[in-house]
């Protein structure tokens, strides 16, 4: 079951929809995005985000193999001590 708070929230929302069922579009904020090198995205509102570039299956397998090798080397180094 839903909590009492959720029921009130939905019933209030449905009440407002019944009062004015016409859909109003939200105003666009006019924010643009620019891609930089290394997957950096800069927005016109001043925020920055990092996005990973898609890599091929071979690149992904090589990356995983390198991580496994590094983990094995670390384990062997810890075992020698």
């Amino acid at each position: 079951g839903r909590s009492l708070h959720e029921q009130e929230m939905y019933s209030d929302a449905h009440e407002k929809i019944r009062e004015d069922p016409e859909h109003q579009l939200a105003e666009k904020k006019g924010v643009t995005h620019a891609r930089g090198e290394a997957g950096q995205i800069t927005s016109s509102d001043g925020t920055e985000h990092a996005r990973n570039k898609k890599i091929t299956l071979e690149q992904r397998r090589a990356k995983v193999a390198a991580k496994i090798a590094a983990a094995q080397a670390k384990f062997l180094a810890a075992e020698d001590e």
Side-chain angles (χ1 to χ4, degrees), residues 37-78:
E37 60 249 15
Q40 200 67 14
I41 295 179
T42 309
S43 302
S44 61
D45 64 354
T47 57
E48 288 189 355
H49 307 283
R51 293 284 185 261
N52 294 331
K53 264 202 153 148
K54 193 168 186 175
I55 60 174
T56 65
L57 178 63
E58 287 303 314
Q59 289 171 323
R60 197 163 55 249
R61 285 184 175 158
K63 194 174 173 182
V64 170
K67 284 186 179 183
I68 290 171
Q72 286 175 337
K74 184 178 176 184
F75 176 74
L76 290 175

Side-chain angles (χ1 to χ4, degrees), residues 6-44:
E6 283 183 54
Q7 287 178 341
E8 287 176 12
M9 179 184 70
Y10 282 111
S11 55
D12 289 347
H14 293 152
E15 194 70 34
K16 288 178 184 173
I17 291 170
R18 282 189 209 98
E19 288 172 14
D20 183 17
E22 198 60 38
H23 177 67
Q24 273 95 35
L25 289 174
E27 280 187 42
K28 293 196 183 273
K29 295 178 183 166
V31 176
T32 58
H33 308 283
R35 272 185 198 273
E37 60 249 15
Q40 200 67 14
I41 295 179
T42 309
S43 302
S44 61

